[in-house]
Amino acid sequence: MINWGIIGCGNVTEKKSGPAFKKVAGSNLVAVMRRDAEKAADYAARHGVGKWYSAASELLNDQELNAIYIATPPASHLDYALIALKKGLNVYVEKPVTRNSAEARAMAAAVKGSSSKLTVAHYRRALPMFLKVKELIDAQLIGEIRTLQIRMWQSRKPTLIADVETNWRVQPELSGGGYFHDLAPHQLDLMLYYFGEPEMYHGVSLNQSNSTPADDHVCGQILFKNKVVVNGSWCFNVAESETTDTCEIIGTKGKIIFPFFGNYINWKTDSEEDTITFTHPEHIQQPFISKIVAYFNGEGPNPCSIDEAVTLMDIIDAFTLKK
């Protein structure tokens, strides 16, 4: 039995992940932690969790636990992961795995020096919709892939982002950057999952609106070793009427279009056009958590390793760090 403790039982754990730990076979949510004791107790009561803590050190010393889910802002991911690994606990870390690639490399080194296991929360890898996209690519439905265009354009207050009291996502010291650091890992990780190892990548980042301390406009390009080219544009200061979330994959025989935060895939070739609509799981991380439990039990591969996350953070740094 994988007995979980959650560090940071905030918004992301309410529905996306938290309840799934009790619904996956061989898994149980034993304890939760939040610095606000009243909110920690409330979460535990509402979700039927037996123990709650207001200090991470107390949860990490709970002898009943053998796995930790780190769901805090990225600034504390590395510290908590290092402590958990040293204690022999398996670790599941929210994305982005860290604030930058240097921290991600430190985490990777700790994993290599530990007998424990670690997985990063790129859960779209286990969702049927994105697995279907991979199936269509691998089957060469649209021929050989030539280029991808990612467009994530949102207003200054994106509806895709949870409304929280303190918007840590636009405080670079906590998040690593801005909304790009929160949303782009989902998108860029899928590019790595679909196309493998990148050959080169570069980009530019700037703060156009100066409405927050974080940059709000990022552009980047990736050339994969299989010669697929990805062009991405992330802008978080456009008019409400111009918001979009699209990935357009262009091949020699047609194209595939889908949103990263939606529920459909459309494709068009010389001979056909079709659209499939998906219903995502109630707890969207549950399929991925099932794979993590299997991995922690030695019954399956790691669904997303820290080494893959290091590559992702290298790309994010290349897009956003000032030269």
Side-chain angles (χ1 to χ4, degrees):
M1 177 67 68
I2 303 299
N3 290 322
W4 292 93
I6 297 178
I7 299 179
C9 55
N11 181 270
V12 72
T13 71
E14 283 289 346
K15 188 172 183 180
K16 290 182 178 180
S17 59
F21 291 107
K22 298 182 72 173
K23 294 186 176 183
V24 169
S27 171
N28 189 31
L29 180 56
V30 173
V32 296
M33 171 269 161
R34 189 167 179 169
R35 286 180 297 176
D36 186 319
E38 185 176 339
K39 290 182 177 178
D42 175 67
Y43 185 98
R46 287 185 293 104
H47 291 278
V49 180
K51 290 183 279 189
W52 61 268
Y53 301 98
S54 59
S57 58
E58 294 177 348
L59 182 138
L60 286 163
N61 284 322
D62 188 322
Q63 296 300 305
E64 191 177 355
L65 306 180
N66 53 29
I68 300 295
Y69 171 41
I70 302 172
T72 60
S76 55
H77 287 185
L78 177 58
D79 289 344
Y80 287 142
L82 294 181
I83 295 169
L85 291 168
K86 191 172 291 186
K87 288 180 175 290
L89 298 165
N90 291 326
V91 180
Y92 179 36
V93 189
E94 263 301 334
K95 58 82 217 161
V97 66
T98 51
R99 290 176 295 184
N100 52 57
S101 62
E103 291 183 349
R105 281 187 162 76
M107 191 179 292
V111 172
K112 287 180 173 64
S114 169
S115 60
S116 299
K117 299 176 179 180
L118 184 145
T119 297
V120 184
H122 293 299
Y123 60 84
R124 277 169 172 73
R125 292 180 175 218
L127 288 176
M129 173 175 158
F130 300 104
L131 291 173
K132 183 64 177 180
V133 172
K134 189 175 192 310
E135 177 188 317
L136 296 177
I137 292 170
D138 293 346
Q140 294 195 323
L141 175 76
I142 58 170
E144 296 180 10
I145 307 301
R146 294 302 187 226
T147 186
L148 281 85
Q149 305 292 323
I150 296 173
R151 289 184 294 278
M152 171 57 70
W153 300 339
Q154 300 290 311
S155 70
R156 293 182 188 179
K157 290 188 176 181
T159 56
L160 296 175
I161 301 292
D163 188 13
V164 294
E165 295 174 11
T166 302
N167 196 355
W168 56 264
R169 290 174 174 85
V170 291
Q171 299 177 40
E173 70 278 8
L174 296 179
S175 65
Y179 291 133
F180 172 81
H181 280 68
D182 190 60
L183 299 178
H186 286 302
Q187 302 161 309
L188 296 174
D189 176 72
L190 282 175
M191 298 302 100
L192 297 173
Y193 182 56
Y194 291 158
F195 303 114
E197 192 174 350
E199 184 170 313
M200 64 176 67
Y201 35 84
H202 60 89
V204 64
S205 174
L206 70 158
N207 192 342
Q208 285 183 317
S209 68
N210 288 310
S211 58
T212 74
D215 285 358
D216 56 15
H217 195 150
V218 178
C219 296
Q221 186 175 72
I222 307 170
L223 170 63
F224 283 88
K225 289 189 174 180
N226 61 6
K227 305 307 178 186
V228 170
V229 176
V230 172
N231 292 283
S233 172
W234 294 263
C235 187
F236 300 98
N237 60 39
V238 303
E240 291 281 358
S241 60
E242 299 306 317
T243 61
T244 188
D245 162 26
T246 58
C247 181
E248 191 169 12
I249 307 175
I250 307 299
T252 54
K253 296 180 180 178
K255 66 179 178 180
I256 299 169
I257 300 175
F258 64 92
F260 292 96
F261 295 87
N263 65 342
Y264 72 87
I265 305 169
N266 171 268
W267 68 82
K268 182 185 293 185
T269 68
D270 295 337
S271 59
E272 66 172 318
E273 180 174 3
D274 202 358
T275 299
I276 303 179
T277 302
F278 294 80
T279 300
H280 292 311
E282 178 185 5
H283 310 298
I284 203 161
Q285 292 196 27
Q286 187 166 335
F288 196 73
I289 290 170
S290 294
K291 291 179 177 291
I292 296 170
V293 169
Y295 170 57
F296 285 178
N297 278 324
E299 298 169 353
N302 191 342
C304 185
S305 72
I306 181 60
D307 291 330
E308 294 170 288
V310 167
T311 300
L312 173 62
M313 294 311 301
D314 281 340
I315 294 170
I316 286 178
D317 281 2
F319 286 6
T320 59
L321 290 183
K322 300 298 188 286
K323 306 298 189 286

